[in-house]
Amino acid sequence: MITILADAQQKTINGPDYIKLSQDFLYAAKTGDSTAAFIDSLKSADQNGLALQLNNEYKKLAFWLNLYNGFTQVILKKDPDQYKTRGSFFSSKQINVAGHQLSLDLIEHGILRRSKVKWAEGFLGKFFPSGFEKQFRVEKLDYRIHFALNCGAKSCPPIAFYEPEQLDKQLNVAVKTYLKGEVIYNKVQNAVEVPALMGWFRHDFGGKKGMLEVLIKNKIIPEGIKPTIRFKKYDWSLYLNNYKSENNG
């Protein structure tokens, strides 16, 4: 009984289960149900209560990945014309979490990439990240997020519902699945074509050497080779509702 009361008190202090809320929000975005109640709950969230819940890397990653993918779908389904000016779409502060106005860029580059400058291939960090960003950002950048974020383009990886308990496995599957579908290895030319995003964020992957290690680890190219790396063009065509199928991984 004491344990039950303690759990109830903790829930009252910390607010709703924000991980589950992020998953339910993403599910509503997928099914076309109203997301208004979820958006209101995120807006009115207690910042410190949210921080207490997001108390490890996997919880942070699951929550913010779900929010990024969910808000991308919700915003673009409501107003697809925003995609015509993508720079503004990603940088505009259209998301409210715990009373703070956030952009998709802030979630991706500030929180999930640990305060990295957007257009610096992962080499530069921000000089003055906000207090909110510092409170919620990951401790260490995990390159696998790039295979989990869906920005609404046709070349984006499919969307999954991320859970802290399964996150490591889910991200590994996301990496392998996306690379299998995108990478082209030419044995004759000893060249490999990789997704454009690996070039945009090359330092996140550990440079070209790190990219090859990722490809070998996931059995995309054979071991013992050093192919030339070429970066594919990114298809920015608007492509919504790209969810990972249940039986795929």
Side-chain angles (χ1 to χ4, degrees):
M1 180 62 119
I2 294 173
T3 303
I4 294 172
L5 285 172
D7 289 345
Q9 288 172 346
Q10 191 66 28
K11 187 173 182 180
T12 302
I13 294 169
N14 296 349
D17 182 340
Y18 289 109
I19 300 290
K20 186 175 187 306
L21 190 151
S22 75
Q23 295 167 338
D24 292 343
F25 167 63
L26 182 56
Y27 185 76
K30 177 182 180 180
T31 59
D33 292 339
S34 174
T35 56
F38 302 114
I39 291 172
D40 286 344
S41 293
L42 290 166
K43 182 178 180 179
S44 62
D46 176 75
Q47 183 172 334
N48 292 326
L50 177 61
L52 284 171
Q53 286 194 26
L54 305 183
N55 57 11
N56 65 42
E57 292 291 90
Y58 287 169
K59 290 178 182 179
K60 289 177 184 177
L61 287 168
F63 177 80
W64 292 108
L65 286 171
N66 290 336
L67 251 58
Y68 183 99
N69 291 335
F71 272 109
T72 297
Q73 296 293 306
V74 169
I75 294 168
L76 289 176
K77 283 181 182 178
K78 183 178 180 181
D79 184 11
D81 283 346
Q82 285 201 39
Y83 219 56
K84 293 177 181 177
T85 51
R86 289 191 303 274
S88 175
F89 166 66
F90 291 119
S91 63
S92 58
K93 296 180 178 180
Q94 305 184 69
I95 300 162
N96 192 309
V97 177
H100 292 262
Q101 289 296 129
L102 312 177
S103 65
L104 290 167
D105 273 347
L106 187 282
I107 293 175
E108 179 177 3
H109 308 291
I111 294 174
L112 291 171
R113 296 185 62 231
R114 190 171 169 77
S115 302
K116 291 289 185 181
V117 174
K118 180 176 182 178
W119 297 118
E121 298 181 346
F123 288 94
L124 297 177
K126 294 182 182 178
F127 290 111
F128 303 107
S130 68
F132 185 92
E133 185 175 324
K134 287 191 284 188
Q135 184 176 21
F136 287 97
R137 67 188 179 185
V138 295
E139 293 299 319
K140 185 179 179 181
L141 195 160
D142 187 331
Y143 73 85
R144 296 179 298 175
I145 63 164
H146 294 299
F147 303 100
L149 290 166
N150 182 292
C151 67
K154 192 159 188 180
S155 284
C156 286
I159 299 167
F161 294 80
Y162 288 101
E163 309 169 52
E165 301 79 10
Q166 301 293 325
L167 191 74
D168 202 45
K169 178 183 175 182
Q170 288 182 304
L171 289 178
N172 285 338
V173 169
V175 173
K176 192 162 193 170
T177 302
Y178 187 68
L179 290 178
K180 273 189 172 181
E182 290 288 322
V183 174
I184 301 171
Y185 172 57
N186 188 313
K187 185 177 180 180
V188 175
Q189 297 181 7
N190 193 32
V192 62
E193 294 182 49
V194 303
L197 61 84
M198 296 180 83
W200 299 340
F201 307 113
R202 64 187 65 208
H203 191 62
D204 293 10
F205 292 92
K208 289 188 175 181
K209 180 182 177 183
M211 293 177 203
L212 292 177
E213 289 173 357
V214 170
L215 297 178
I216 291 169
K217 177 183 177 181
N218 287 278
K219 302 186 187 310
I220 307 298
I221 62 173
E223 292 186 45
I225 63 167
K226 292 184 178 179
T228 300
I229 294 179
R230 298 169 183 161
F231 298 103
K232 299 173 71 175
K233 288 185 178 179
Y234 207 76
D235 187 344
W236 283 104
S237 304
L238 182 60
Y239 186 62
L240 299 177
N241 298 308
N242 180 17
Y243 289 87
K244 182 175 174 289
S245 61
E246 294 295 328
N247 58 2
N248 184 9

